[in-house]
Amino acid sequence: MGSSNGQRLGITEPISLAGPTDDDLMRTRKLEKYLRDVNLYESQEEAVSREEVLGRLDQIVKIWVKKISRAKGLNDQLLQEANAKIFTFGSYRLGVHGPGADIDTLCVGPRHATREEDFFGELHQMLTEMPEVTELHPVPDAHVPVMKFKFSGVSIDLLYARLSLWVIPEDLDISQDSILQNADEQTVRSLNGCRVTDQILRLVPKIQNFRTTLRCMRFWAKRRGVYSNVAGFLGGINWALLVARICQLYPNAVPSMLVSRFFRVYTQWRWPNPVLLCAIEEGSLGLQVWDPRRNPKDKYHLMPIITPAYPCMNSSYNVSTSTLRIMMDEFQRGHEICEAMEKNEADVDWDTLFEPFTFFEAYKNYLRIDISAENADDLRNWKGWVESRLRQLTLKIERHTYNMLQCHPHPGDFSDKSKPLYCSYFMGLQRKQGVPVGEGEQFDIRLTVKEFKQAVSMYTLRKPGMQISVAHVTRRNLPNFVFPGGVRPSRPSKGTWDSRRALERKVSSHTKPGADDGRKRKQTDDNVDTHLRNAKCHATMPSSSGEFREGSPIMSTISSSSINLQFEHMDANELAGSNREKVENNLTDSIRGSRNSVEVSSHNGKVDGPMIGDPRNKGLSFNSSNSKDAEKLAIEKIMSGPYVADQAFPLELDQLEDDLELKNQAKDFAGSTQNNSLGSCAVNIAAEATLTSMNGGSSSSALSPNGGLGELEPVELTAPFSNVIPSAPVPQRKPLIRLNFTSLNKAT
């Protein structure tokens, strides 16, 4: 499986068939040692323990299915043959899990074993009675229903797929499309995780090189703050697909080469051209597959990464304009570091690549979202819901400020030890780089935050004590619990790659005439940007004390000189803004280039030309590994398939998801708010003040929506009914950019 025995893997020829040099082998050995030193591999004892737990779990579901078969009066033959089977998927199945990681598992049962009554009923009861099972938490209403628990200390996420078969054979092959026949939507979603994982392993040339490279990229993404599907970045399945494609393009490369080529290829990638491991098959079951020429909503995906198992779909529909820009910036940084390593530059090694992103030094302004609940179970559910809505806040801020105010969501949550039932989320805020700042310019996002809080308040399972507050905080007013060990650094980080590059840029801008102009970012929309440049805008910030006097507006202005410093000046701790200035030029050109790439005509519902990812697109092999020009040309040809990008994001699409959810939940909300003591907390912004900083505490890992599924969770593989994409400015609408950072619910 996955061997390259003369068989081409992927939709194109490889870019290069070259193998490693001695230097490549040396860098690979150093990389593998680094990954071991940072404890990315589990011990042999833990591996054996996991195997034992999986074997025990398989026995339990077999006992369970016989028990319910007997209770339902099945005949002796069916009772004797009754069976259920456990499959694994995600990082464990791919072989890239680390110590303490969850095991994503799937229970496949027969047609008479129902999800609601039998899986979440009888099986749940059986697990409850077992002393080795702890922290059992069923989430039956999730998009992908799951039971989460610990079995002998090993964390398990257990999904259920109900097939149309009376008997589940022990040698069941779930990779066959026929397994989806007559399956309900929840079963299709649950099966998709296993099917995609297995297909990835079939489509990579050398599995061990793939695994090492994927471990590296997952660790890199977490260190750089871009590993989170729910926050609008990429999750486990997305990184696996991106790495697998690089393995196909460089089948004989070793991990150090694959990491370098990863950054080289995706720095040049012209999104929204899709990344595919194989041709998209229509299938025979009538399930909808990703195709922007036929499905209007697919046209608005910014970073399509397509799953290889039927039904093929976009696994990265959560990516927004801001998060794509941030990731492109990180790809560029990785590319520069790998180039420096290949040139054997001093003080550049794998440590440099994996330097953590100093999120709380990168910006001067942040948005802080605090939530709380009355008990741990309520907080877990409340967190899952709020996290699933945070992306909407990012999109709304971008849309309402015409992309002039850019958001960088932190992928994790933070906890204050002194308040165990509280947690906080943060977003970095900055003015779009390269845009002239007018005198007294401001952004007013109070209505934006009000809309967000109203949407969050529509949670149908909301209970008393579930609260949310939003406030603007400056860097100097950040609470101590966001810093490692709860201790605020006495001075900004120095000596890192980011700080050195920022210093070089500052020196260059002062020594080279016109260098500062060269840093200005190309505008995304000339008409709108011209309009915004000429607009008279106003901006306000909360005062440093964080307090507002009664009867006065919730705004505290700062001088034009300080706001110019705040949004335009770059110091050694603000490389992120500087790099993203360059990356957004490339990103804008990429989107425009994709839009004008290849037009596909349609007649009577039939699409002319080859299917996206059609194997007929050949002739891309350049076997000279020394020719970067040839590689660049090959990458361009890879992206020349029949894809029509539509980047004119209508305002209505951004509102559709909110409107649908609000309508579906309005009835329940209307009844619940009458007796809900929290009804006023989401609306009355004028009466609310800035949150004060809190000391102490430590960071905690973020949960996924719907109860926090695993890293290759099926929810990542299922696009919502309508994807919410940041809209392009509407020309008819006069831009109102009074910018005030709102504050809600003073913390106590």
Side-chain angles (χ1 to χ4, degrees):
M1 183 172 60
S3 66
S4 57
N5 48 7
Q7 177 185 2
R8 190 192 74 191
L9 297 172
I11 61 173
T12 65
E13 297 290 344
I15 290 177
S16 172
L17 296 175
T21 65
D22 290 342
D23 285 343
D24 293 324
L25 293 173
M26 178 190 66
R27 280 190 289 268
T28 294
R29 287 192 293 269
K30 289 182 178 180
L31 174 60
E32 291 171 341
K33 181 180 184 302
Y34 184 95
L35 299 180
R36 287 192 298 271
D37 290 345
V38 294
N39 197 33
L40 291 189
Y41 294 87
E42 68 177 356
S43 66
Q44 183 62 31
E45 293 77 9
E46 187 174 359
V48 171
S49 175
R50 289 174 182 271
E51 290 293 335
E52 292 175 349
V53 165
L54 288 173
R56 181 78 177 98
L57 188 59
D58 192 60
Q59 293 174 356
I60 291 170
V61 298
K62 285 173 167 47
I63 295 171
W64 161 72
V65 79
K66 287 187 180 294
K67 183 176 181 180
I68 62 172
S69 297
R70 186 179 298 107
K72 296 188 178 187
L74 270 63
N75 61 48
D76 292 342
Q77 181 179 352
L78 287 178
L79 184 60
Q80 183 178 357
E81 296 176 348
N83 190 34
K85 188 170 172 58
I86 290 291
F87 293 86
T88 61
F89 63 101
S91 61
Y92 183 82
R93 176 72 181 97
L94 287 174
V96 296
H97 60 288
D102 296 348
I103 303 181
D104 296 315
T105 56
L106 170 70
C107 173
V108 176
R111 62 188 303 168
H112 58 276
T114 65
R115 177 177 290 104
E116 295 77 12
E117 179 182 349
D118 298 323
F119 181 76
F120 284 106
E122 183 61 36
L123 181 58
H124 176 267
Q125 183 61 36
M126 290 175 59
L127 293 173
T128 302
E129 297 170 355
M130 295 180 178
E132 58 264 56
V133 174
T134 58
E135 301 180 25
L136 180 59
H137 179 62
V139 192
D141 297 325
H143 190 62
V144 183
V146 60
M147 269 201 292
K148 302 172 67 68
F149 55 92
K150 286 188 176 181
F151 197 106
S152 298
V154 177
S155 296
I156 300 289
D157 287 352
L158 181 62
L159 311 183
Y160 181 64
R162 179 191 182 192
L163 302 186
S164 59
L165 305 174
W166 282 104
V167 176
I168 303 299
E170 194 61 28
D171 60 350
L172 178 69
D173 182 5
I174 61 174
S175 67
Q176 299 298 316
D177 292 349
S178 58
I179 206 75
L180 304 175
Q181 189 76 40
N182 300 322
D184 58 61
E185 290 185 9
Q186 292 171 319
T187 290
V188 172
R189 295 183 195 127
S190 298
L191 285 167
N192 218 13
C194 290
R195 288 165 52 80
V196 167
T197 303
D198 288 349
Q199 190 71 350
I200 290 173
L201 293 175
R202 293 187 182 96
L203 291 171
V204 293
K206 296 181 180 179
I207 291 179
Q208 191 53 50
N209 287 344
F210 163 74
R211 285 173 171 161
T212 301
T213 307
L214 181 54
R215 280 186 190 274
C216 171
M217 296 312 305
R218 283 161 51 95
F219 181 66
W220 171 84
K222 292 173 182 178
R223 298 277 280 191
R224 299 303 298 175
V226 290
Y227 189 103
S228 173
N229 183 276
V230 69
F233 296 107
L234 301 181
I237 184 64
N238 313 123
W239 293 109
L241 292 170
L242 290 181
V243 170
R245 184 61 179 134
I246 299 302
C247 291
Q248 290 180 340
L249 295 174
Y250 300 90
N252 297 320
V254 293
S256 65
M257 297 170 64
L258 292 170
V259 171
S260 174
R261 301 320 186 263
F262 180 99
F263 292 119
R264 183 181 301 174
V265 169
Y266 292 123
T267 296
Q268 299 178 49
W269 200 269
R270 287 188 289 106
W271 305 103
N273 286 282
V275 172
L276 306 106
L277 299 187
C278 59
I280 296 178
E281 302 293 341
E282 291 290 342
S284 59
L285 302 179
L287 299 176
Q288 181 173 294
V289 299
W290 186 85
D291 188 346
R293 302 163 303 175
R294 296 174 177 173
N295 309 321
K297 67 182 179 63
D298 291 345
K299 295 182 180 181
Y300 303 102
H301 295 172
L302 297 182
M303 193 181 188
I305 303 172
I306 310 305
T307 57
Y310 176 77
C312 298
M313 58 187 71
N314 178 21
S315 64
S316 53
Y317 58 85
N318 271 351
V319 173
S320 70
T321 302
S322 280
T323 53
L324 176 56
R325 173 178 48 83
I326 292 163
M327 287 187 286
M328 290 295 291
D329 172 49
E330 290 297 335
F331 291 162
Q332 180 65 35
R333 173 188 178 274
H335 175 58
E336 292 173 0
I337 292 174
C338 287
E339 291 275 293
M341 278 197 289
E342 291 175 353
K343 295 176 183 177
N344 295 316
E345 292 187 10
D347 301 325
V348 181
D349 54 17
W350 292 114
D351 261 327
T352 310
L353 181 67
F354 297 118
E355 286 173 356
F357 177 65
T358 52
F359 180 82
F360 292 108
E361 295 179 13
Y363 301 97
K364 293 187 176 180
N365 294 280
Y366 297 86
L367 205 61
R368 171 177 173 176
I369 301 95
D370 280 10
I371 66 171
S372 61
E374 291 187 349
N375 58 65
D377 286 340
D378 286 354
L379 183 62
R380 184 186 302 110
N381 294 332
W382 187 226
K383 282 175 65 177
W385 170 251
V386 172
E387 287 173 0
S388 71
R389 309 308 301 169
L390 285 176
R391 188 175 66 97
Q392 296 299 316
L393 179 58
T394 301
L395 298 179
K396 287 177 183 294
I397 290 174
E398 291 173 345
R399 186 184 73 206
H400 293 171
T401 63
Y402 298 94
N403 287 319
M404 293 297 105
L405 182 62
Q406 297 175 335
C407 302
H408 182 169
H410 191 287
D413 63 80
F414 297 85
S415 299
D416 183 353
K417 289 182 179 178
S418 66
K419 298 183 177 181
L421 296 178
Y422 280 70
C423 79
S424 303
Y425 303 89
F426 291 85
M427 294 183 182
L429 300 172
Q430 70 175 7
R431 181 185 299 278
K432 182 177 180 179
Q433 300 294 311
V435 178
V437 181
E439 188 75 17
E441 232 174 9
Q442 301 178 1
F443 295 96
D444 187 346
I445 59 172
R446 289 174 295 179
L447 289 179
T448 303
V449 172
K450 181 178 180 180
E451 287 182 12
F452 166 72
K453 293 189 68 180
Q454 287 176 328
V456 170
S457 298
M458 292 298 180
Y459 182 42
T460 55
L461 301 179
R462 189 176 185 184
K463 296 180 180 179
M466 291 183 176
Q467 300 188 39
I468 181 169
S469 60
V470 184
H472 161 251
V473 293
T474 59
R475 184 198 302 165
R476 64 181 179 181
N477 291 326
L478 287 167
N480 288 345
F481 63 77
V482 303
F483 300 103
V487 179
R488 183 187 298 271
S490 58
R491 61 183 61 189
S493 303
K494 292 184 179 180
T496 65
W497 171 273
D498 293 351
S499 61
R500 294 197 302 268
R501 295 289 289 177
L503 183 60
E504 290 173 6
R505 292 176 188 275
K506 288 180 66 175
V507 172
S508 176
S509 66
H510 285 85
T511 57
K512 295 181 181 180
D516 190 64
D517 294 337
R519 286 172 23 218
K520 298 303 181 183
R521 187 182 285 138
K522 187 181 295 182
Q523 306 306 307
T524 303
D525 187 304
D526 294 334
N527 295 332
V528 175
D529 285 346
T530 301
H531 192 178
L532 292 175
R533 270 190 232 104
N534 297 331
K536 185 66 176 177
C537 305
H538 305 281
T540 56
M541 301 288 179
S543 64
S544 59
S545 65
E547 296 180 355
F548 298 109
R549 289 192 168 84
E550 188 175 351
S552 63
I554 303 188
M555 54 181 67
S556 173
T557 58
I558 58 178
S559 67
S560 60
S561 61
S562 63
I563 200 168
N564 288 339
L565 174 67
Q566 191 159 353
F567 286 107
E568 289 196 328
H569 176 67
M570 292 184 301
D571 57 29
N573 301 315
E574 294 174 318
L575 177 73
S578 173
N579 278 352
R580 289 181 182 118
E581 181 177 335
K582 175 174 64 175
V583 169
E584 191 163 281
N585 274 328
N586 298 334
L587 183 56
T588 303
D589 291 341
S590 297
I591 291 177
R592 287 178 176 170
S594 299
R595 199 182 317 174
N596 299 322
S597 57
V598 181
E599 294 293 330
V600 180
S601 60
S602 177
H603 303 285
N604 300 323
K606 295 184 178 180
V607 181
D608 296 338
M611 181 61 182
I612 300 168
D614 195 306
R616 286 174 284 177
N617 297 329
K618 298 181 179 180
L620 302 181
S621 181
F622 292 86
N623 296 333
S624 173
S625 61
N626 298 323
S627 175
K628 292 184 179 180
D629 289 338
E631 283 190 84
K632 186 173 182 179
L633 178 60
I635 296 169
E636 286 294 323
K637 288 188 176 183
I638 289 171
M639 295 183 291
S640 64
Y643 175 65
V644 181
D646 188 346
Q647 297 301 326
F649 309 126
L651 184 65
E652 290 75 16
L653 272 183
D654 195 16
Q655 296 172 335
L656 183 56
E657 183 176 316
D658 281 339
D659 291 344
L660 287 172
E661 291 203 48
L662 295 182
K663 289 177 182 178
N664 290 337
Q665 300 184 20
K667 184 176 180 180
D668 294 327
F669 177 68
S672 63
T673 51
Q674 292 180 1
N675 300 318
N676 193 336
S677 61
L678 304 176
S680 62
C681 78
V683 182
N684 188 8
I685 298 179
E688 296 174 309
T690 302
L691 291 164
T692 58
S693 296
M694 293 178 283
N695 297 327
S698 62
S699 170
S700 62
S701 60
L703 291 179
S704 304
N706 304 325
L709 298 181
E711 292 161 333
L712 291 182
E713 52 194 346
V715 70
E716 296 178 15
L717 311 178
T718 309
F721 173 75
S722 172
N723 288 278
V724 181
I725 303 298
S727 307
V730 181
Q732 296 86 348
R733 184 175 172 184
K734 185 176 180 180
L736 174 61
I737 307 211
R738 298 194 43 189
L739 192 76
N740 176 62
F741 295 98
T742 192
S743 313
L744 306 169
N745 287 354
K746 185 173 181 179
T748 57

